[in-house]
Amino acid sequence: MEIENNNLKKRYILVVEDEDDIVRLISFHLEKEGYLVESAGSGREALENVSRKTPDLIILDIMLPEMDGLEVCRRLRGNSQTASIPILILSARKEEFDKVLGLELGADDYMAKPFSVRELVARVRAMLRRLEQRVDYDLPAKDNASAAEKIIRSGDIILYPERHQVTVGGEESSLTHKEFVLLEVLMENAGKVLTRDVLLDKVWGYEVEVDTRTVDVHVRYLRQKIEENPSIPRYIETVRGVGYRFVKT
Ligand code: CA
């Protein structure tokens, strides 16, 4: 049926927020953009909702009844079914702590309240665009890689730019979008030292709210996923006072 097909194509966004006014505001603007929007008013409700129907993206407030947004984020990232859903964290708390912790727990983006709805919509659109690029190449099996497919290999790590996949020792590693792009930039420039500013520009681009500490947080998270021993990294070297270098092998 026509209508159902149209609905299937719509990207589904879950808004996790207990303040009705904010839910209404966000929903109104996202629906206007053509997205399908549902909301959950607590952390538990959010997890239940996600287990019923996987969203394409989650907007997650930190201050929630029952279970806070950081815990929701941690649980989603800890489950392979939900580990790669893009998450944008919202927080009313000004503390830098929330932002760093949120990103450390695997959120892809962060906005502090009060926020501009226009900017929120722009970020959602950008996050979904990256997801689309990934889904288009989400082939069913690794064997389907055509001979011409570009890969970037280093030691045990193989990065498939088109499929947005990374394998470490043959095992698929589930990276968030930002981690993936960060690794891609580092591997493409293997042997070169990249400053935090350069990495910020290449990976985060227009997102003006992030600062250079964000790079460190993501590098730490990435190391946990790709390094055998994250405290003695074999692949991503810290170049003191400068930035990071992917070791050329
Ligand atoms: Ca709240």
Side-chain angles (χ1 to χ4, degrees):
M1 285 199 311
E2 286 275 308
I3 294 166
E4 272 182 18
N5 281 340
N6 279 339
N7 277 339
L8 281 177
K9 273 183 222 150
K10 277 192 178 181
R11 290 291 183 186
Y12 165 46
I13 300 173
L14 178 65
V15 178
V16 186
E17 166 67 270
D18 58 327
E19 286 163 72
D20 291 340
D21 290 349
I22 296 181
V23 171
R24 269 197 296 274
L25 178 74
I26 295 176
S27 303
F28 174 78
H29 287 275
L30 290 176
E31 282 167 357
K32 212 169 70 180
E33 287 285 309
Y35 299 118
L36 194 67
V37 184
E38 279 188 28
S39 65
S42 73
R44 257 174 230 297
E45 203 188 321
L47 293 175
E48 278 166 24
N49 190 307
V50 170
S51 67
R52 278 199 307 274
K53 182 177 168 194
T54 310
D56 293 299
L57 184 143
I58 299 173
I59 295 174
L60 181 61
D61 184 37
I62 288 188
M63 296 292 275
L64 293 167
E66 291 175 68
M67 182 196 298
D68 73 14
L70 293 173
E71 181 57 25
V72 173
C73 188
R74 185 176 306 149
R75 292 194 188 194
L76 289 170
R77 288 300 180 242
N79 176 338
S80 61
Q81 299 288 315
T82 57
S84 60
I85 301 174
I87 297 176
L88 191 161
I89 279 187
L90 284 180
S91 173
R93 296 189 290 194
K94 282 280 173 222
E95 287 114 64
E96 190 68 14
F97 172 76
D98 276 355
K99 177 174 173 181
V100 172
L101 191 56
L103 294 173
E104 207 158 67
L105 288 173
D108 296 274
D109 206 351
Y110 175 96
M111 285 185 84
K113 291 179 183 173
F115 55 88
S116 135
V117 185
R118 189 180 297 215
E119 192 183 341
L120 178 85
V121 171
R123 289 194 188 195
V124 164
R125 213 186 290 132
M127 288 167 83
L128 287 172
R129 208 166 31 234
R130 286 193 289 272
L131 179 76
E132 243 150 57
Q133 287 164 359
R134 186 180 66 175
V135 169
D136 286 347
Y137 295 101
D138 205 0
L139 304 178
K142 287 175 195 120
D143 303 334
N144 284 1
S146 70
E149 186 180 358
K150 181 191 168 196
I151 63 166
I152 307 176
R153 184 195 294 263
S154 186
D156 290 338
I157 302 175
I158 304 177
L159 186 139
Y160 302 83
E162 293 176 358
R163 286 192 263 163
H164 245 259
Q165 276 181 346
V166 174
T167 59
V168 181
E171 295 278 313
E172 186 165 352
S173 182
S174 80
L175 305 185
T176 65
H177 304 299
K178 287 290 193 288
E179 289 162 3
F180 181 89
V181 179
L182 178 61
L183 182 61
E184 188 177 16
V185 170
L186 285 166
M187 287 182 85
E188 275 178 339
N189 293 284
K192 288 185 220 160
V193 183
L194 300 177
T195 64
R196 288 175 177 80
D197 284 329
V198 164
L199 288 169
L200 257 190
D201 184 51
K202 286 186 186 290
V203 179
W204 282 268
Y206 72 98
E207 294 163 31
V208 289
E209 274 183 40
V210 295
D211 60 43
T212 50
R213 260 172 300 176
T214 306
V215 176
D216 301 329
V217 169
H218 277 75
V219 165
R220 202 180 326 147
Y221 215 68
L222 192 52
R223 278 176 177 155
Q224 282 166 16
K225 294 183 179 179
I226 65 164
E227 299 278 3
E228 207 171 327
N229 183 350
S231 50
I232 311 171
R234 168 185 167 195
Y235 295 107
I236 304 174
E237 271 182 358
T238 303
V239 181
R240 278 196 131 202
V242 187
Y244 296 99
R245 171 171 51 208
F246 195 92
V247 176
K248 201 167 186 151
T249 54

